[in-house]
Amino acid sequence: MLICASSYALYCVLLKRWSMAISNWVSVYVQALFAVLMLVPVLFAAPSQTIMPDAYPLVGFAALGASVLAPAIWLQAIALNGASRTAMYMNLLPVMTAIIAVFWLGEILTQYHVIGGGLVLLGVALSQQSRCPSYP
């Protein structure tokens, strides 16, 4: 997790310092292409390459929703708000996951979920109340 967080922090800093000369869609395409190239060996190393028909919706969601649509929206948010302001919204992932699990999976919402979620929401709200002028 430390390596992942450090890599993402470096990405945000570099993205702020140097704007990309390519469009968001080209960036998403390149990311998806590299992801496919990196995962093909894993597919061939698996005991079976057969995808069961009941898994097609999951594969479709992973291919379109999580691999194309989400990064495209994320890059658009970075373009509109800047990397540092947009990065704070990553903290909402566990909160949204818990909410979805309650509604779709019937999970029980406990007191620590509410307290933790409230603290995350407070942190994101406070981070968006910038008192410093933004720099280009």
Side-chain angles (χ1 to χ4, degrees):
M1 277 311 289
L2 185 59
I3 292 170
C4 290
S6 299
S7 297
Y8 185 71
L10 179 64
Y11 167 76
C12 287
V13 168
L14 293 177
L15 193 61
K16 187 173 185 173
R17 299 239 184 247
W18 298 296
S19 62
M20 294 189 297
I22 58 175
S23 71
N24 286 348
W25 284 110
V26 172
S27 176
V28 169
Y29 174 77
V30 170
Q31 290 176 28
L33 180 67
F34 276 98
V36 168
L37 290 175
M38 294 177 83
L39 291 174
V40 164
V42 176
L43 173 66
F44 289 132
S48 171
Q49 287 83 26
T50 305
I51 299 173
M52 304 308 269
D54 57 343
Y56 288 161
L58 298 173
V59 173
F61 171 77
L64 296 176
S67 298
V68 175
L69 191 59
I73 292 170
W74 184 255
L75 288 172
Q76 185 64 28
I78 289 174
L80 292 174
N81 299 324
S84 59
R85 290 183 72 91
T86 305
M88 284 297 128
Y89 289 101
M90 275 289 227
N91 296 308
L92 293 176
L93 282 173
V95 175
M96 298 309 292
T97 302
I99 291 170
I100 291 169
V102 167
F103 288 110
W104 282 2
L105 302 176
E107 295 288 329
I108 298 171
L109 194 65
T110 61
Q111 185 177 10
Y112 60 83
H113 289 115
V114 174
I115 293 170
L119 289 173
V120 168
L121 291 173
L122 178 64
V124 170
L126 289 175
S127 74
Q128 299 306 309
Q129 304 298 319
S130 176
R131 297 185 192 280
C132 301
S134 61
Y135 298 100

